[in-house]
Amino acid sequence: MGKNMKKISLIVFIITSLLITFGITRSWAGEVDILVNKLVEKGILSHSEAQQLLNEMQKEGTRQEAEIKEVATEAAKEEIKTSGLKLPTWADKIDLYGDLRLRHDTQWIDQKKPGGDTDKYNRNRERYRLRLGMKAKTTETTEVGVRVASGSGNQNTTNQSFDGHARGKEIWIDRAYASWKATDYLKITGGKHKNPLFTTPLVWDPDVNPEGLSESLKFDITERFGLFANMGQYFVEEIKSTNTDPTLLAFQLGTAIKPTDTMKLDFGVTYYNFMDLDDLEWKDGILKDKTEFIGYNNAYGQQMVFDSDGDLLNEFECWELAAKLKVKDVLPVPFSIYANYIVNTDADIDELIDKGAVFPDSDPAKLEAYGSDDRDTGWLVGLSLGNKKKKGDWYAKYHYQELEDYAFPAVFVDSDFHGGGTNNKGHYMHLRYYLMDNIQARASGFLTEREDDSKDGKKDEDRIQVDLVFTF
């Protein structure tokens, strides 16, 4: 090493030692420059040596800074490890969840209205469904939940099509509720919440989250026999001009029987009473407004009829029977057989014709096409097979259904089958495969037609949906 280099190295060592000793940081770089200038003035350093010294000091400062950062990082890691750092206790009580479904949807429609021409067309849509939820255990026996979802705000679908030249899409309140586990066998829930009833899509679309109160009871009488009951007091519409509002009272009683270790049979009977529907009145344009209870029903298979005062005459007092047999360890995979029946005992076509008045978009005489048939029943029978839990699982399902016009309010039934609504029949097929624990590939098919085309004419609709679903 040359004489000059040794001198510079010695000065660098002395200055660096002083910086470390007195805790001087790089903010003191200006003071170092003054010190070097003094050394030049005294003739200890030449100008070239001074520049070389400053370069060496800069390198040394960078090295020291890197070492300090490394030591600080390691110290922080050790502190976290030894301090037992935990999230706040309230965070442990919150469960976040969600799912994203990407879908291709194709419909083949062939329809002909009475006296009109045949209309055949295909409809292709790319769609998605996004749902984000939160559940919080506020106490040992209470829970509060919120879920938001994509869609158009309709009660029976959360699908959103890719359209509108990439404009932003809306998010809606899908669930907002509080529940109380009053006892081991009683749970009370209020708000907009998951439907507690044992049922099928023949009557309730899975996307419908009723609004109001529900009470669920479950009693295990023995290891092989139990009873359950579900009750609901739900709001249909709120009308500011009346003291009463259209509401739904639902009462369900069921049994859960395990005849063997490999079989379970669930059976339920449900009574529905839609009260004060006559508070709903005809007004200009309401039957074309699908956001209204009577507007949606009228557009999807149920002609709404009004008396001379404009009050709704349609009534729904329904009884539902539902059954499901689950069998495991007999075939390589579990399978189920299920069935559903619904009847509206208040449906009366003759009464609607006799008492109904003629309004725009509602002529009771059109119902004469049905003769004396009240169009008040529906039924479904199906089979499912497979597992749906983890990577490599597969699951298949099939059912056939027939649903007459006035069996149950169209606004609540499956929105995908025959395009939604009532007065339909046909086949539904579904297959899914678990690519990962939380990623599924799905395909669904529909082969459907009008159950009776004497009033509204022919409508055949076939449909296929291909999905990729991510859960988290």
Side-chain angles (χ1 to χ4, degrees), residues 118-188:
T118 298
D119 185 15
K120 292 185 178 182
Y121 63 95
N122 301 342
R123 186 180 188 186
N124 297 288
R125 285 179 288 180
E126 312 308 322
R127 319 186 81 185
Y128 74 90
R129 180 191 70 186
L130 174 66
R131 301 185 296 191
L132 300 172
M134 179 275 291
K135 293 186 289 186
K137 292 286 292 182
T138 49
T139 70
E140 289 298 318
T141 59
T142 59
E143 177 183 288
V144 171
V146 176
R147 190 172 77 178
V148 296
S150 56
S152 57
N154 284 337
Q155 66 292 326
N156 54 7
T157 180
T158 50
N159 289 320
Q160 173 65 61
S161 297
F162 291 115
D163 63 0
H165 45 275
R167 291 188 305 168
K169 310 303 181 186
E170 293 177 299
I171 290 292
W172 303 83
I173 301 296
D174 190 40
R175 291 179 185 171
Y177 67 90
S179 66
W180 175 38
K181 183 79 169 170
T183 67
D184 290 339
Y185 54 83
L186 172 62
K187 180 180 179 181
I188 302 173

Side-chain angles (χ1 to χ4, degrees), residues 337-407:
I337 301 172
Y338 53 95
N340 200 197
Y341 176 81
I342 184 80
V343 59
N344 176 13
T345 56
D346 270 2
D348 190 333
I349 292 287
D350 291 335
E351 181 177 332
L352 293 177
I353 296 172
D354 292 340
K355 296 183 178 181
V358 177
F359 286 89
D361 303 318
S362 179
D363 183 356
K366 291 182 178 180
L367 294 173
E368 294 176 358
Y370 288 138
S372 59
D373 187 354
D374 289 328
R375 310 289 298 152
D376 57 0
T377 62
W379 61 274
L380 175 152
V381 61
L383 170 70
S384 65
L385 183 70
N387 291 301
K388 44 181 179 178
K389 295 181 179 179
K390 63 183 187 303
K391 179 181 178 181
D393 282 354
W394 60 269
Y395 176 78
K397 181 164 63 173
Y398 164 84
H399 72 240
Y400 177 85
Q401 75 170 54
E402 295 189 5
L403 185 62
E404 295 180 339
D405 301 43
Y406 295 110

Side-chain angles (χ1 to χ4, degrees), residues 11-31:
I11 295 173
V12 169
F13 173 76
I14 293 171
I15 295 176
T16 303
S17 299
L18 289 172
L19 292 174
I20 295 174
T21 301
F22 294 103
I24 299 173
T25 65
R26 295 186 70 179
S27 65
W28 288 71
E31 300 297 333

